[in-house]
Amino acid sequence: MSQQTSPDPDTKTPAIEDAPLVFLDAEEPASAAPLKTWKVLIADDDEEVHLITQMVLRDLVFEGRPLQLLSAHTGADALRMLGEHPDTAIILLDVVMESEHAGLEAARTIRETLGNRFVRIILRTGQPGQAPEKKVIVNYDINDYKEKTELTSQRLVTTVIAALRSYRDIVTIDRSRQGLIKIIEASRDIFGTQSLTQLSSAVLLQISALLHLGNDAMLARTSGLTAKLDPSGGENNYTVIAGTGRFSTASGQPLSNVLGSAEIEQLMQTPLDQAIVRIGEFLGHFSTTSGAESVVMVQMEDEQNEVDVDLLKLFATNIGVAFDNAALDEELLATQSEMVHTLSKVVEARSSETGQHVVRVGELSCLLAKLAGLDESDINLLRLAAPMHDLGKIGIPDLVLHKQGTFTPEEWAMMRQHSTIGHNLLFRSQRPVLKAAAILAFQHHECWDGSGYPNGLKGEEIHIFGRIVALVDVFDALSHARCYKEAWPMPTILDFIRKGSGCKFDPDLVDIFLAHADEFIELWNQYSDH
């Protein structure tokens, strides 16, 4: 049996006092928009009971919502109707229908098989001797027990209104429970996000879900955007970084090109580090400790949907913290990337490599990793770590490093040590980037067939990072002149890589590389030394 969630996600949150009980004027014209209703199921095998109950309840309105009266004449029909209308608030259930205990059996099935804990079950019987009240109340999960003879018109109305209040409050409590669960899940998602763009997309999704709590079908009718302030462009110079709905193609555009002046003014008037939540709209304005600012706007087409303002404001607090964390992460990542490239440039300056070699190796490795299906976190990690693959050359003497011509056996043995030197410099670090760089330094000269160095690793014994960088490092090295060689023509390089498939290089990576050779050459040209 599955646990039931709140059947009416748009149930109105109760006011401090109950709304007054009113009756509809039969002559009053119907509203153009359909009213939300309270569903009441009459389950009885006596047609006269249906007629009398409908006559008494048909014009009843509670908290601005009329009743929708449904009918069933057997226990089986009642169960079928509840399956079709899981948001039924009350079932007026006869005990004796197609069998002496049809109503009792239906009550048990509603709770235990259908798993419906929300509907208020009012048992009605004309033969109390067959279903004694004390026994029934104890053994069956029902909410009231009435003899048909005692249910006058007024008592029926009183019983129904009391049951509606109970149903309303239970649904409200469950909505709050669902909301808190959603807050926890949403907070986990946004705090687990790394980049500001990913965070922005996650924030829009979670706000939309909270605005339409329990009604996933409405998510498609929600539009939202997040935008980041560019301090260098002056006041209110925001750029959209993520969008949904009608803003789904707005990423990268100035906010002024996407929103009208009135909408922008509303966002700018939202107090800093606060959110404005109202029916149909969420506006947020957040800052970080580094001074960066972001704005969030989510709008709903269905402005009649009730929202839990307190839950959204609670989530808004988490959004502010998450944006701050993301900004700090991006600052740390940028600093780390700059340090890695600076260190790599130092090595490059000592060796015979050309100016942009380490940058190209990072970007080309990232492209190959993406095409090979690595996840985004590994792709970003490889982009940062790949430029340090030759760090160990810092420990190789200049006479060897800059020699023009063929190495002697002793010089070649010395040159091969750069893999071990680089690994030994990095492997003790617990930072993911430096741990990945240690692997690359150690393995980028290993070969698929086991003929490489320093450890003669074979096939998938070589880390995927090492296999990727081994290929793109050779591609870039052959395409540029060095002190000991001229640059090779591109067709010759591609033919060399093709012939190295299965011996020097991972054959799967070679297939991917050659199938997308134009993309690699285009990226290679973007980072030319000239």
Side-chain angles (χ1 to χ4, degrees), residues 51 84 134 178 188 200 292 305 337 345 362 389 421 450 476-477:
L51 294 174
E84 295 173 1
K134 182 177 179 181
Q178 289 185 55
R188 177 197 62 202
S200 299
N305 190 50
S337 178
K345 291 284 187 181
H389 65 285
I421 293 171
D476 191 70

Side-chain angles (χ1 to χ4, degrees), residues 42-47 50 71-78 96-98:
I42 307 165
D44 201 296
D45 62 348
D46 189 337
E47 185 61 32
H50 283 266
S71 291
H73 293 80
T74 66
D77 282 345
V96 181
M97 288 182 283
E98 68 268 39

Side-chain angles (χ1 to χ4, degrees), residues 232-491:
S232 63
E235 187 178 0
N236 295 343
N237 184 37
Y238 285 82
T239 300
V240 177
I241 51 180
T244 61
R246 65 187 179 97
F247 305 120
S248 59
T249 60
S251 183
Q253 297 184 41
L255 187 61
S256 56
N257 290 357
V258 178
L259 297 181
S261 56
E263 289 176 310
I264 292 177
E265 185 177 357
Q266 278 188 316
L267 275 171
M268 296 304 107
Q269 288 179 350
T270 304
L272 198 60
D273 297 319
Q274 292 186 36
I276 295 175
V277 183
R278 51 198 173 207
I279 293 177
E281 193 170 49
F282 175 99
L283 304 175
H285 191 182
F286 306 99
S287 66
T288 68
T289 52
S290 62
E293 291 185 19
S294 299
V295 292
V296 180
M297 181 178 75
V298 179
Q299 297 174 329
M300 300 181 292
E301 289 184 26
D302 178 19
E303 297 191 357
Q304 300 308 308
N305 190 50
E306 295 290 340
V307 299
D308 193 319
V309 173
D310 291 335
L311 284 177
L312 278 162
K313 286 188 174 179
L314 174 62
F315 185 56
T317 302
N318 289 345
I319 293 173
V321 175
F323 271 121
D324 200 20
N325 289 345
L328 290 173
D329 283 344
E330 289 204 339
E331 179 66 24
L332 288 171
L333 194 62
T335 302
Q336 184 174 250
S337 178
E338 187 173 332
M339 290 178 65
V340 165
H341 279 89
T342 300
L343 183 59
S344 301
K345 291 284 187 181
V346 170
V347 177
E348 198 172 62
R350 279 206 67 237
S351 68
S352 56
E353 270 111 26
T354 53
Q356 288 282 81
H357 172 68
V358 295
V359 176
R360 284 192 298 270
V361 169
E363 294 302 321
L364 291 168
S365 296
C366 183
L367 174 58
L368 185 52
K370 183 177 180 180
L371 293 171
L374 272 66
D375 64 41
E376 189 169 356
S377 61
D378 281 340
I379 293 170
N380 292 331
L381 186 61
L382 187 56
R383 176 187 276 115
L384 287 173
M388 291 191 285
H389 65 285
D390 273 338
L391 180 64
K393 288 183 178 179
I394 202 167
I396 304 302
D398 286 350
L399 288 175
V400 175
L401 200 59
H402 298 148
K403 181 176 180 178
Q404 299 184 22
T406 306
F407 287 141
T408 66
E410 293 78 14
E411 289 168 340
W412 178 233
M414 188 177 296
M415 187 64 179
R416 285 159 56 119
Q417 290 177 9
H418 81 275
S419 295
T420 304
I421 293 171
H423 174 261
N424 291 342
L425 286 171
L426 297 166
F427 83 96
R428 293 180 181 84
S429 174
Q430 296 304 307
R431 304 280 74 80
V433 171
L434 298 184
K435 289 173 71 174
I439 292 171
L440 289 171
F442 213 26
Q443 297 187 7
H444 73 284
H445 284 296
E446 299 285 359
C447 296
W448 182 259
D449 63 2
S451 63
Y453 67 88
N455 293 313
L457 300 179
K458 186 176 181 180
E460 293 188 358
E461 292 175 355
I462 309 166
H463 194 284
I464 184 62
F465 286 2
R467 285 179 268 152
I468 288 172
V469 171
L471 196 159
V472 300
D473 185 36
V474 168
F475 169 73
D476 191 70
L478 294 178
S479 64
H480 289 83
R482 299 284 175 87
C483 61
Y484 52 86
K485 72 168 189 69
E486 296 297 323
W488 289 20
M490 191 59 67

Side-chain angles (χ1 to χ4, degrees), residues 3 36 44 95 119 132 143 189 216 322 339 405:
Q3 184 178 3
K36 294 183 65 63
D44 201 296
V95 173
V119 64
N143 305 105
D189 289 344
D216 293 341
M339 290 178 65

